[in-house]
């Protein structure tokens, strides 16, 4: 009998504490400025209605505070990470819903932006380049002007269907121009792909072993904006030049899809480079055919300046 009485007394003590704590909790919730505002704008809510929805009000108060104090999305303390609570009243019922907080919306926008820029073997700093971060000087004036002209034409009736062929000495920042353009395209929801040519050649050769060649080439053909970095630096066979590069450029030429290039060679110099295969054969006609396709999908622009890597 004694254990039962002891348990009963203990329950009564705890129950009294609960009642006391509940009163304090209720008062704290109803003193919250946002809860007060909600109740004042809904005078139809009686004390019994408020008590029925007290847990919702408590959740709103505690979760909202977490949002205000949140230092970063990764440290979100809310029940649903990245979501903020909102209260609204329907008659005598209080509804609690959650919407994405501004930090989550911002993160999703950043992720969406990144997803629009695909790359093969490109350094991360290149993919973070911006037009504002490009060096503006007389030697780079023509390249800057051509870049801005292309970007301004996007979405207009005068939209340019050709990309740009940047050529100039080693280390002057040609690749940064590609990254900056890719980021501006992403802001306009235009997907692009930036490819480092020497690794691209190796990637295509490796694709022969796993039967992924056709699907990869199709992707390169159809991506809205293709960017080939450092063309001419790769050691390529006649097969790659004619069957891979040639077919990609042919498709994009026919569909009026732009291609951007960077190279240490002018188009005239590149033609001589492409004419000599890895076997030592000289095929000027086939090289000339590639150059003509490059001219159909891009416009040649010189880019000079100080060596940024020196």
């Amino acid at each position: 009998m004694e254990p039962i009485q002891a348990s009963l007394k203990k329950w009564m003590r705890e129950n009294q504490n609960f009642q006391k704590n509940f009163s304090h909790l209720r008062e704290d919730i109803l003193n919250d400025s946002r809860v007060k505002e909600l109740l004042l704008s809904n005078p139809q809510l009686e004390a019994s209605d408020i008590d029925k929805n007290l847990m919702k009000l408590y959740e709103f108060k505690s979760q909202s505070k977490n949002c205000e104090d949140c230092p970063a999305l990764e440290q979100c303390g809310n029940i649903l990470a990245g979501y903020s609570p909102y209260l609204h009243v329907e008659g005598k019922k209080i509804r609690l819903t959650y919407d994405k907080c501004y930090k989550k919306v911002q993160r999703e926008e950043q992720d969406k932006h990144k997803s629009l820029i695909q790359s093969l073997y490109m350094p991360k700093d290149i993919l973070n380049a911006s037009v504002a971060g490009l060096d503006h000087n007389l030697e780079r004036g023509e390249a800057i002007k051509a870049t801005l002209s292309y970007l301004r034409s996007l979405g207009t009736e005068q939209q340019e269907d050709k990309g740009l062929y940047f050529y100039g000495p080693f280390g002057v920042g040609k690749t940064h121009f590609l990254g900056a353009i890719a980021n501006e395209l992403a802001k306009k929801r235009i997907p692009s792909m930036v490819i480092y040519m020497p690794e691209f050649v190796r990637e295509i050769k490796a694709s022969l072993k796993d039967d992924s060649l056709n699907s990869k080439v199709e992707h390169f053909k159809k991506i809205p904006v293709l960017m080939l970095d450092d063309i001419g630096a790769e050691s390529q066979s006649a097969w790659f030049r004619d069957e891979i590069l040639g077919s990609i450029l042919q498709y994009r030429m026919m569909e009026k899809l732009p291609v951007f290039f960077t190279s240490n060679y002018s188009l005239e110099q590149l033609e001589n480079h492409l004419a000599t295969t890895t076997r030592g054969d000289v095929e000027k006609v086939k090289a000339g055919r590639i150059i003509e396709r490059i001219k159909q999908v891009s416009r040649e622009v010189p880019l000079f300046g100080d060596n940024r890597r020196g």
Side-chain angles (χ1 to χ4, degrees), residues 48-116:
S48 58
D49 301 319
I50 294 169
D51 287 341
K52 284 178 185 176
N53 293 279
L54 202 61
M55 286 310 296
K56 290 178 184 175
L57 296 174
Y58 172 74
E59 184 179 330
F60 170 75
K61 178 183 179 297
S62 59
Q63 297 298 292
S64 290
K65 187 173 186 300
N66 286 339
C67 277
E68 290 171 359
D69 298 338
C70 178
L73 186 61
E74 291 77 11
Q75 296 169 266
C76 177
N78 281 354
I79 294 171
L80 295 170
Y83 286 80
S84 299
Y86 294 89
L87 286 175
H88 58 279
V89 177
E90 297 175 2
K92 291 201 168 192
K93 291 183 179 180
I94 297 175
R95 304 288 187 192
L96 178 65
T97 59
Y98 281 85
D99 286 333
K100 295 172 186 176
C101 72
Y102 77 95
K103 287 181 180 175
K104 185 170 180 64
V105 171
Q106 199 174 52
R107 174 63 58 80
E108 288 182 349
E109 281 296 312
Q110 290 171 351
D111 291 343
K112 194 181 292 182
H113 181 100
K114 289 177 182 176
S115 72
L116 289 169

Side-chain angles (χ1 to χ4, degrees), residues 9 25 32 49 64 117 134 143 162 191 225 274 281:
K9 287 179 181 178
L25 179 64
D32 181 84
D49 301 319
S64 290
I117 306 174
L134 297 173
K162 286 187 178 184
V225 178
L274 293 176
D281 300 326

Side-chain angles (χ1 to χ4, degrees), residues 184-200:
E184 290 300 318
L185 290 169
K187 290 177 186 177
K188 296 179 181 293
R189 299 287 188 269
I190 301 173
S192 63
M193 184 159 206
V194 193
I195 306 173
Y196 179 54
M197 279 297 292
E199 291 296 341
F200 178 41

